Amino acid sequence: MSESTTLPLHMRRAGFDPDPELGELRKDEGIRRFSTHLGFDAWLVTRYEDVREVLGDTERFSNAWQGRFQLPCAPAKSEEELAALRAGNLLSSDPPEHTRLRRFLTPEFTLRRMRRLEPRITRIVEDHLDAMERAGSPADLVSSFALPIPSLVICELLGVPYTDREDFQRRSSLLLDVSAPVEERVAAQDESRAYMAELVARIQADPGEDLLGMLVREHGGDLTANELVGIGNLLLIAGHETTANMLGLGTLALLRHPDQLELLRKEPERVDAAVEELLRWLSVVHTGAFRMTTTEVEIAGQVIGPGELVSCSLPVANRDPALLRDPETLDLARGAHGHVAFGHGVHHCLGAPLARMEMRIAFPALLRRFPELRLVESEARFRSFSVVYGVTSLQVAW
């Protein structure tokens, strides 16, 4: 039985768009207190400038509360277990601890390093298009293209066996599903940690050339096993869930906007701008990590005391007229630089260069291979209860 059948305010969507109530909230008071799926209340910030202010200020809006408190809806954990959950998780730390962890990883996600991966990503994309073509039309674009490509890329980058993909995809999907019973989500979290702990132990014994192997070889004395497990888990989940949902939902958006699809097909050199606009317009991550106030703050005219939780609506902020003109329209020609789909500030998504590269390779390749690509079903099944928005399947033909 589902834990919840009512979507919390910050996750509500109307197809590609944020729920109209959220748009009205941005225009009116700009901030509102709401009930979360975690058993406590939080403030929801909706305006672009206010969202950037919250995300950019780690002193007043802290990430480090996560894992330090027992969630009222979750089974109790010991302090030792909570500390293990915090270790290595960049989303639950503030500077200087966050700075220390990120310093080990940043060199692996530079544009220069990403360009070294480009030929391999191109090969992975083409291999999956070949397989789709061999299997024939129609096909589920999610299971045959959008999900396996970023999963294989992040597995190769981290050093995770791709043969384990079904298990880690099942666990991450459950972890992100707020309608699932809390006990099942906690069990999936524990399973994920146990899996990564076993993998880290094998890599420590015989480090390879992948990212986790590099961390063991070059920083083994600086990172504990728990920190390596936390880093591996975060990168594995974030590395395939976000990009997979962007590829699936982005393809649906293009097929529903044939003028924009045709623009990208005829002018593939626009792909960088197209990716930025799709990131802005879709904003598959609803809010990112919740922050806790460390002092009294004022946002959108609302005074908030210390020790309160604040959440930022990324889709609503990215549709704010303060960011750009005509924000409700999908316009691939403009490229929406400055959007907050990857967050902002020190917690700006570490893997953004990798995600961008995967999309800038995959979208044009898909349109080149199948110039007559079309939807088979008029109704899409959205992942409404998932922390990362997307479609559960996408039946296409060519």
Side-chain angles (χ1 to χ4, degrees):
M1 180 180 292
S2 291
E3 185 77 8
S4 171
T5 55
T6 303
L7 271 172
L9 179 64
H10 71 292
M11 294 179 66
R12 294 179 196 164
R13 306 254 187 159
F16 297 119
D17 307 324
D19 187 281
E21 181 182 352
L22 289 166
E24 290 301 314
L25 172 59
R26 186 190 61 227
K27 284 193 292 186
D28 295 337
E29 62 265 44
I31 187 171
R32 182 183 299 169
R33 195 170 176 84
F34 74 104
S35 296
T36 72
H37 58 286
L38 299 171
F40 45 70
D41 290 345
W43 293 94
L44 185 63
V45 179
T46 58
R47 293 175 185 154
Y48 176 72
E49 291 298 339
D50 293 334
V51 164
R52 281 174 57 90
E53 180 181 348
V54 172
L55 297 182
D57 187 343
T58 58
E59 291 190 6
R60 295 189 303 151
F61 302 95
S62 169
N63 274 41
W65 70 276
Q66 298 178 73
R68 297 183 187 278
F69 301 98
Q70 302 278 2
L71 298 178
C73 56
K77 287 187 179 292
S78 68
E79 180 53 42
E80 185 179 356
E81 289 172 320
L82 291 174
L85 287 175
R86 290 195 302 271
N89 187 347
L90 285 89
L91 296 181
S92 61
S93 62
D94 295 327
E97 176 62 11
H98 175 271
T99 309
R100 181 184 76 88
L101 291 171
R102 188 151 175 150
R103 186 179 72 244
F104 299 131
L105 296 167
T106 299
E108 295 303 305
F109 289 92
T110 61
L111 280 173
R112 183 171 59 85
R113 294 286 180 97
M114 289 302 105
R115 288 195 187 101
R116 281 176 21 197
L117 291 175
E118 187 166 3
R120 179 58 184 145
I121 295 173
T122 300
R123 183 70 264 158
I124 290 170
V125 168
E126 294 297 332
D127 286 347
H128 283 81
L129 290 172
D130 289 344
M132 282 179 64
E133 196 164 22
R134 283 194 303 271
S137 175
D140 177 9
L141 191 83
V142 171
S143 62
S144 60
F145 186 77
L147 181 57
I149 289 170
S151 293
L152 182 52
V153 170
I154 198 64
C155 280
E156 291 193 2
L157 181 66
L158 284 178
V160 175
Y162 188 57
T163 50
D164 296 343
R165 66 189 180 280
E166 288 188 8
D167 282 338
F168 75 66
Q169 286 169 358
R170 172 187 56 80
R171 288 191 296 263
S172 65
S173 182
L174 186 55
L175 274 168
L176 299 175
D177 182 359
V178 303
S179 70
V182 171
E183 294 79 7
E184 291 185 14
R185 296 174 67 199
V186 171
Q189 181 183 58
D190 292 342
E191 287 175 26
S192 296
R193 285 195 59 80
Y195 168 79
M196 190 59 67
E198 183 180 326
L199 180 64
V200 163
R202 292 206 307 266
I203 291 173
Q204 285 177 318
D206 184 21
E209 296 302 313
D210 46 71
L211 191 148
L212 288 175
M214 178 278 295
L215 290 176
V216 168
R217 285 196 317 276
E218 298 183 14
H219 307 292
D222 302 310
L223 291 165
T224 66
N226 274 336
E227 286 176 329
L228 288 166
V229 169
I231 289 169
N233 259 337
L234 177 63
L235 294 181
L236 181 59
I237 294 173
H240 80 269
E241 281 284 350
T242 50
T243 308
N245 283 289
M246 272 301 303
L247 289 175
L249 196 62
T251 301
L252 177 61
L254 292 172
L255 292 171
R256 290 271 181 86
H257 295 79
D259 59 325
Q260 298 300 299
L261 184 148
E262 192 61 22
L263 176 66
L264 183 55
R265 178 180 284 131
K266 287 184 174 178
E267 302 178 33
E269 66 274 12
R270 291 186 182 271
V271 66
D272 289 333
V275 165
E276 297 308 313
E277 176 69 347
L278 285 167
L279 284 163
R280 176 198 73 84
W281 198 71
L282 296 171
S283 298
V284 294
V285 177
H286 300 293
T287 62
F290 284 45
R291 268 71 170 174
M292 180 175 282
T293 53
T294 60
T295 185
E296 183 177 275
V297 299
E298 183 176 335
I299 296 289
Q302 174 68 52
V303 175
I304 302 173
E308 299 211 41
L309 292 177
V310 177
S311 176
C312 294
S313 178
L314 306 182
V316 181
N318 279 334
R319 299 286 186 98
D320 193 335
L323 171 60
L324 44 72
R325 293 178 56 188
D326 193 19
E328 300 298 333
T329 298
L330 178 66
D331 180 3
L332 302 187
R334 62 182 164 196
H337 297 286
H339 64 75
V340 289
F342 283 125
H344 173 68
V346 299
H347 287 284
H348 183 272
C349 177
L350 178 70
L354 177 60
R356 285 184 166 111
M357 175 166 286
E358 290 179 84
M359 285 184 276
R360 67 180 293 275
I361 292 170
F363 282 127
L366 177 67
L367 300 182
R368 280 195 309 271
R369 181 67 66 95
F370 303 120
E372 301 300 321
L373 192 71
R374 64 188 184 278
L375 293 172
V376 172
E377 300 172 352
S378 58
E379 293 298 318
R381 290 185 289 275
F382 293 99
R383 289 173 39 139
S384 298
F385 282 88
S386 177
V387 173
V388 181
Y389 193 58
V391 285
T392 58
S393 64
L394 188 64
Q395 294 295 323
V396 296
W398 53 89

